[in-house]
Each structure stands twice: as C-alpha cells, then as structure tokens.
Amino acid sequence: MTRWIGFWKMASESSELERLSQEIVDSQSHLRGAKSVESFDLATAIEREIGEMEQQRNKLLHDMASSAVEDEQRAAAPGASGPGESLQLTVPSVAGSTESNERIGIIWGRLTPEDVDRARQEVERHRIEALARHARELESLDVEVAEVDSLEQAIDLFMRKFGVTAVTA
C-alpha cells in the first residue's frame, strides 16, 4: 500500500513539475511580448511571476530528489533483499526469443512478486535520474535565458539612451 502511495505521489509531483515548466515557458513568451511593446511594468510583473514559479519548480525538484534518495536508502537498508536470480535468468530468455506459450508460462511461474517490485523500483530509479538530469538542464537553460534577457535589457537601455538611429558601416 505504501508503495502505491509513493507511486501516486511521484506521479503527482511529476505532473506538477511539467505544469510549472510549461507555465514558465508560456510566461517567458509573454515577457518577450511585453518587452517588444515596451510595457516595462508588465514585463517586471511577469519577471517576478517567473521567478516565483522557478522557485516552486526548484523546491519541487529538490523534494523529488530527496524522496528518491530516502527511497533508495530504505531499499538498501538491512533486511531488504538483493536482486533475485529468477529475474536475471528469465527475462533475457523471454526478451531474446519467440518461444512457445508453454515455455513462457513456465518462465512466468518463476517470476515472483519481489522480482516485479525490484523491476518497478529500477524503472522508478531510472525515471528519477532522468528527472534530475532534466532539472539540471532546465536550470542551465534558465541561466542562459537570464543572460540573453540581461543582454536584451542592456540593448534596450542603450537604444533609449542614445536613440534609435541606425549605424552604417
């Protein structure tokens, strides 16, 4: 039961992460629009909202990563069983051949609920690692976007200060 609660919690957090990321992207688009029409008050408000959403996203990512670490520590705790040989021996034989239904039935008979749980945990671990990589990439892209936004603001300031006259070479 606890395993299912954890699964649904992770699924909910993942959905929330996707929603926040999409809202940030949408807001960044609105921000570019506000800046293009020189609505600087609106741009400032949107930048503040983006900052708040990024903080929420970072907190959520931190919580998800912490939860994953705790789950792995619980799984590695004394009393937790290691990977079963039945999973390691039977899965390759199923995956690599087109045996008869009878042979597959025998293999499934060897597969235990613990094997399925271990496989589920392994998939979840890979998923969490992918989310962590995704979060690092998003943070890197956020830094790049901030740099571009700073450059754009500097250019806007320069243009307002020194005029919009075109420079010819």
Side-chain angles (χ1 to χ4, degrees), residues 23-92:
E23 283 185 16
I24 290 170
V25 169
D26 293 343
S27 294
Q28 288 170 339
S29 175
H30 293 238
L31 176 62
R32 285 189 295 277
K35 287 181 177 179
S36 71
V37 296
E38 297 183 359
S39 180
F40 298 110
D41 291 337
L42 178 60
T44 302
I46 293 172
E47 285 173 341
R48 188 173 35 258
E49 288 176 7
I50 290 172
E52 291 170 1
M53 287 186 284
E54 287 173 341
Q55 287 177 344
Q56 289 175 349
R57 183 180 63 190
N58 290 339
K59 182 185 181 313
L60 182 60
L61 287 168
H62 179 339
D63 292 347
M64 290 172 73
S66 296
S67 178
V69 168
E70 290 171 6
D71 289 346
E72 285 188 29
Q73 288 173 346
R74 275 194 299 269
S81 59
E85 290 183 24
S86 60
L87 181 63
Q88 293 173 351
L89 294 174
T90 57
V91 171

Side-chain angles (χ1 to χ4, degrees), residues 41-158:
D41 291 337
L42 178 60
T44 302
I46 293 172
E47 285 173 341
R48 188 173 35 258
E49 288 176 7
I50 290 172
E52 291 170 1
M53 287 186 284
E54 287 173 341
Q55 287 177 344
Q56 289 175 349
R57 183 180 63 190
N58 290 339
K59 182 185 181 313
L60 182 60
L61 287 168
H62 179 339
D63 292 347
M64 290 172 73
S66 296
S67 178
V69 168
E70 290 171 6
D71 289 346
E72 285 188 29
Q73 288 173 346
R74 275 194 299 269
S81 59
E85 290 183 24
S86 60
L87 181 63
Q88 293 173 351
L89 294 174
T90 57
V91 171
S93 65
V94 171
S97 67
T98 56
E99 298 177 37
S100 69
N101 286 340
E102 181 179 308
R103 176 75 177 130
I104 292 172
I106 292 169
I107 291 169
W108 277 111
R110 292 183 196 165
L111 200 60
T112 66
E114 291 80 20
D115 294 329
V116 175
D117 285 340
R118 280 190 292 278
R120 183 177 289 119
Q121 289 172 358
E122 182 71 15
V123 168
E124 185 63 21
R125 186 179 63 77
H126 286 295
R127 183 180 164 283
I128 290 167
E129 289 172 356
L131 283 171
R133 280 192 309 274
H134 180 72
R136 287 190 301 271
E137 291 173 10
L138 283 174
E139 288 174 2
S140 172
L141 290 172
D142 288 343
V143 168
E144 290 179 24
V145 166
E147 290 172 353
V148 170
D149 287 344
S150 295
L151 179 61
E152 182 181 26
Q153 288 174 356
I155 291 170
D156 286 343
L157 179 63
F158 178 85

